[in-house]
Amino acid sequence: MKNTKSINNLVQKLQALNYSENTISSYRSELIKLSLTLNVDFSRLSIRIIEDYLRSSKISVSQSNQLISSVKLLFKYVLDKKEFSKLKTLRPRKESKLPNIIGKNDLLASISKISNIKHKAIISITYSCGLRVSELINLKIEDIDSDRMLIKVVGGKGNKDRYVPLSENILTLLRTYFKKDRPKKYLFNGQSNSKYSATSCNKIVKKYVSSKYSFHTLRHSCFTHLLESGVDLRVIQKIAGHSSSKTTEIYTHVSNRLLGSIVMPL
């Protein structure tokens, strides 16, 4: 395939810079699609070509940003094109959508009815700690620190590590699960692979909670419910692993309980 060498060179560079596997895979996929669609040698890529491609393509805002990010890195690290900084002018405005939230009582009721201990543990720890699906499936047994009542989340978004609180309820549930399933390396093993899959995680949420929710909804619900219970926004930012407080502030817009508690002037 044309441009294979350029794409592989970028992959090697990003690996050397400790980009996460998921990020590298996403950028590689975008560049392969771009190469196949345009059938143009990447050495001839320009801002105008990318702009025309984005205008003619029916892709979402997030996909557009993913493509622009991948091309920017290609320009910077492989093609040595100085105009990589100008690519930011092509970025579309972010879609202003509030995340879906599951009511706390409804979610707890759904969890209480789960008889499969492994599925129950996966949904419970994700909701309790606000984990991303990639963080959940990469959890190792050694990451559970029962002495300090903390969970070490290794290689989160931006390849950053962080600690999140471990509750007594979750620890008890994990111990029950561990005695039954006896996982080896990863906390949650898959049937054929060494770790559980992201696809399976989404399936169990739809099975036990609702088909209209995704696995990531558990994370959004965790932080919204923490905010409603009075936890400081800066603490939530730390637990969530957000580099900017602006990202965490979205939960102030979805907390109906806080809105309902406000006393209006008249």
Side-chain angles (χ1 to χ4, degrees), residues 124-176:
S124 297
I125 193 174
T126 300
Y127 167 59
S128 177
C129 302
L131 301 178
R132 300 179 177 92
V133 66
S134 59
E135 296 169 346
L136 181 282
I137 63 178
N138 283 301
L139 274 181
K140 295 179 180 177
I141 299 168
E142 63 201 48
D143 296 328
I144 308 300
D145 188 343
S146 57
D147 292 330
R148 295 194 296 162
M149 295 303 289
L150 294 171
I151 297 174
K152 185 178 182 181
V153 180
V154 180
K157 194 170 184 179
N159 210 28
K160 298 176 182 177
D161 298 348
R162 72 182 188 279
Y163 284 95
V164 297
L166 170 64
S167 72
E168 288 286 354
N169 288 337
I170 295 299
L171 179 59
T172 300
L173 179 59
L174 289 179
R175 283 174 171 166
T176 304

Side-chain angles (χ1 to χ4, degrees), residues 63-81:
Q63 287 177 302
S64 296
N65 282 317
Q66 190 90 292
L67 172 66
I68 292 168
S69 294
S70 61
V71 173
K72 178 182 177 181
L73 293 172
L74 182 73
F75 277 15
K76 183 177 182 180
Y77 293 122
V78 178
L79 303 178
D80 196 27
K81 290 179 178 284

Side-chain angles (χ1 to χ4, degrees), residues 4-255:
T4 297
K5 184 178 180 180
S6 294
I7 295 173
N8 288 341
N9 285 343
L10 179 62
V11 168
Q12 292 173 10
K13 179 65 178 179
L14 297 183
Q15 287 172 338
L17 292 172
N18 290 321
Y19 277 66
S20 71
E21 292 181 14
N22 286 342
T23 299
I24 293 174
S25 177
S26 296
Y27 289 167
R28 180 177 180 273
S29 177
E30 289 298 334
L31 291 175
I32 289 174
K33 285 188 288 185
L34 183 68
S35 179
L36 293 174
T37 304
L38 294 181
N39 195 27
V40 173
D41 192 285
F42 279 171
S43 62
R44 294 174 53 206
L45 276 182
S46 65
I47 301 291
R48 176 57 62 84
I49 291 176
I50 300 300
E51 185 177 16
D52 290 343
Y53 173 79
L54 290 171
R55 188 182 297 115
S56 60
S57 302
K58 295 181 179 179
I59 56 178
S60 67
V61 170
S62 60
Q63 287 177 302
S64 296
N65 282 317
Q66 190 90 292
L67 172 66
I68 292 168
S69 294
S70 61
V71 173
K72 178 182 177 181
L73 293 172
L74 182 73
F75 277 15
K76 183 177 182 180
Y77 293 122
V78 178
L79 303 178
D80 196 27
K81 290 179 178 284
K82 304 301 181 184
E83 65 266 35
F84 69 84
S85 61
K86 298 178 182 177
L87 280 165
K88 64 182 180 182
T89 62
L90 302 183
R91 291 191 182 277
R93 291 184 178 180
K94 291 184 179 180
E95 298 166 321
S96 182
K97 291 184 178 179
L98 296 178
N100 285 331
I101 301 299
I102 311 170
K104 183 176 181 178
N105 292 336
D106 292 339
L107 183 52
L108 294 178
S110 296
I111 292 174
S112 67
K113 297 175 183 176
I114 302 175
S115 57
N116 184 306
I117 188 65
K118 182 177 185 178
H119 293 170
K120 187 172 187 174
I122 288 174
I123 291 178
S124 297
I125 193 174
T126 300
Y127 167 59
S128 177
C129 302
L131 301 178
R132 300 179 177 92
V133 66
S134 59
E135 296 169 346
L136 181 282
I137 63 178
N138 283 301
L139 274 181
K140 295 179 180 177
I141 299 168
E142 63 201 48
D143 296 328
I144 308 300
D145 188 343
S146 57
D147 292 330
R148 295 194 296 162
M149 295 303 289
L150 294 171
I151 297 174
K152 185 178 182 181
V153 180
V154 180
K157 194 170 184 179
N159 210 28
K160 298 176 182 177
D161 298 348
R162 72 182 188 279
Y163 284 95
V164 297
L166 170 64
S167 72
E168 288 286 354
N169 288 337
I170 295 299
L171 179 59
T172 300
L173 179 59
L174 289 179
R175 283 174 171 166
T176 304
Y177 154 71
F178 185 85
K179 289 178 182 178
K180 182 178 184 299
D181 278 47
R182 294 291 177 183
K184 303 299 181 183
K185 179 180 179 181
Y186 291 97
L187 185 60
F188 299 106
N189 293 331
Q191 290 184 348
S192 56
N193 298 315
S194 59
K195 59 185 177 183
Y196 214 65
S197 71
T199 301
S200 296
C201 287
N202 269 303
K203 284 182 178 179
I204 65 173
V205 169
K206 294 184 181 301
K207 176 180 179 179
Y208 296 111
V209 184
S210 173
S211 59
K212 67 179 181 180
Y213 296 127
S214 69
F215 195 79
H216 206 68
T217 310
L218 298 175
R219 175 174 162 87
H220 290 315
S221 300
C222 167
F223 304 140
T224 301
H225 298 159
L226 284 176
L227 181 67
E228 290 179 340
S229 65
V231 177
D232 189 274
L233 203 61
R234 288 169 294 182
V235 176
I236 297 175
Q237 179 186 347
K238 187 78 172 178
I239 296 172
H242 292 155
S243 56
S244 171
S245 60
K246 290 184 179 179
T247 307
T248 317
E249 285 171 2
I250 188 174
Y251 299 107
T252 64
H253 300 298
V254 295
S255 177

